Amino acid sequence: MKKYILESCVDSVESALAAAKGGADRLELCANLIIGGTTPSPALFEEIRKVSTIRMHALIRPRFGDFCYTDYEFAIIRREVAMYREMGAEGVVIGCLNPDGSLNMEQMETLMKEAGGMSVTLHRAFDVCRDPFEALDQAKKLGIHTILTSGQKNSASAGRELLKELTERAGDGIDIMAGGGVNAQVIRELAPCTGVHVFHMSGKITLDSQMEYRREGVNMGLPSLSEFEIWRTKAENIRAAREVLDSL
């Protein structure tokens, strides 16, 4: 029987420490989780390395939005994969699509070479590709280790049927990792009916800013987002998920 694995996506040192304390097996290290995650800074990676030995996989995504990249954007992605390999990350999380929704095999093959011996996860670009089974077969051929997916739905719970079929088709060749709205209860429901044994979650809570003086009506980004809220992983949320996995 395969070992259950819990991955936590984090974008701060505080969240990384909370995830490790809660029992996460590894981190997906990101920046800007509030917009789905972008490439983290090397300084963040290094700061976490100072205080924790937890396994880290770096998300490589230069911007918010689709996964069809210009030549300039791809050059950045390629350099950042190499950079995190050189820095000692255990893995990278990548994904590139063609305009027609298929996996961009030329770009992905280049990135696999840059990754060298690192573990490679195909991120949720998979969830917006045109044919998940074609992409699964291509990921196997590329030598990708893990596919992060919500079953091409907004949440893993909603995508459970596809998650089950992907897990069956994947066999031992590649891990299907369920992500998207995952928490302890979702794991309890999905693990038995899908066969998924790798789960991805943030375990986040919303904290109030420490700012006492607050200038209202000035937005640094999207008007729908408050400048005085901070997302952080809560160790207890990760621990609850860990306990469910350990009980299965």
Side-chain angles (χ1 to χ4, degrees):
M1 181 178 175
K2 290 185 177 180
K3 176 186 174 183
Y4 284 104
I5 297 171
L6 182 61
E7 177 179 279
S8 180
C9 51
V10 303
D11 60 3
S12 68
V13 179
E14 292 84 357
S15 289
L17 291 175
K21 182 179 179 181
D25 295 292
R26 68 184 185 223
L27 305 179
E28 181 192 81
L29 187 62
C30 315
N32 302 308
L33 270 176
I34 200 165
I35 55 171
T38 56
T39 305
S41 73
L44 175 59
F45 176 87
E46 291 171 342
E47 199 64 24
I48 294 171
R49 273 285 194 247
K50 291 178 185 177
V51 293
S52 177
T53 59
I54 191 168
R55 183 181 181 92
M56 285 192 280
H57 293 186
L59 173 66
I60 309 298
R61 185 185 180 208
R63 57 162 171 77
F64 170 79
D66 66 38
F67 305 102
C68 184
Y69 296 112
T70 68
D71 290 344
Y72 294 118
E73 288 171 333
F74 182 69
I76 293 168
I77 292 169
R78 183 176 180 177
R79 288 180 61 187
E80 288 177 331
V81 168
M83 176 187 72
Y84 272 104
R85 185 194 69 236
E86 292 163 3
M87 291 179 67
E90 285 82 6
V92 287
V93 184
I94 57 175
C96 305
L97 299 179
N98 291 310
D100 66 0
S102 62
L103 203 60
N104 188 321
M105 291 295 284
E106 181 179 352
Q107 290 184 344
M108 292 298 294
E109 286 169 358
T110 298
L111 296 181
M112 291 300 295
K113 291 176 183 176
E114 292 289 359
M118 285 192 293
S119 178
V120 176
T121 297
L122 172 57
H123 59 45
R124 290 186 66 197
F126 180 88
D127 280 329
V128 292
C129 76
R130 69 182 183 189
D131 184 336
F133 303 116
E134 176 188 52
L136 171 61
D137 290 341
Q138 290 174 323
K140 285 182 177 181
K141 290 176 183 177
L142 287 166
I144 286 170
H145 303 89
T146 304
I147 295 175
L148 170 59
T149 173
S150 60
Q152 295 202 323
K153 300 290 185 181
N154 274 334
S155 71
S157 291
R160 68 179 64 199
E161 293 303 321
L162 181 55
L163 286 171
K164 182 176 187 294
E165 190 167 358
L166 288 168
T167 300
E168 291 171 352
R169 292 197 183 202
D172 294 328
I174 192 168
D175 286 335
I176 301 300
M177 177 165 58
V182 168
N183 56 31
Q185 183 57 37
V186 169
I187 292 172
R188 191 184 305 277
E189 295 169 358
L190 288 185
C193 71
T194 63
V196 170
H197 72 282
V198 188
F199 291 89
H200 171 97
M201 63 181 288
S202 68
K204 67 178 180 295
I205 58 172
T206 303
L207 301 177
D208 191 42
S209 167
Q210 297 182 52
M211 289 295 298
E212 296 176 1
Y213 174 77
R214 301 188 178 191
R215 170 72 68 182
E216 301 292 347
V218 180
N219 294 94
M220 301 296 129
L222 294 173
S224 59
L225 301 178
S226 171
E227 305 297 339
F228 302 107
E229 291 181 351
I230 298 170
W231 287 8
R232 290 271 169 79
T233 296
K234 186 175 182 180
E236 288 77 7
N237 291 344
I238 302 299
R239 186 174 297 112
R242 176 83 268 164
E243 289 173 355
V244 170
L245 290 174
D246 289 345
S247 72
L248 295 173

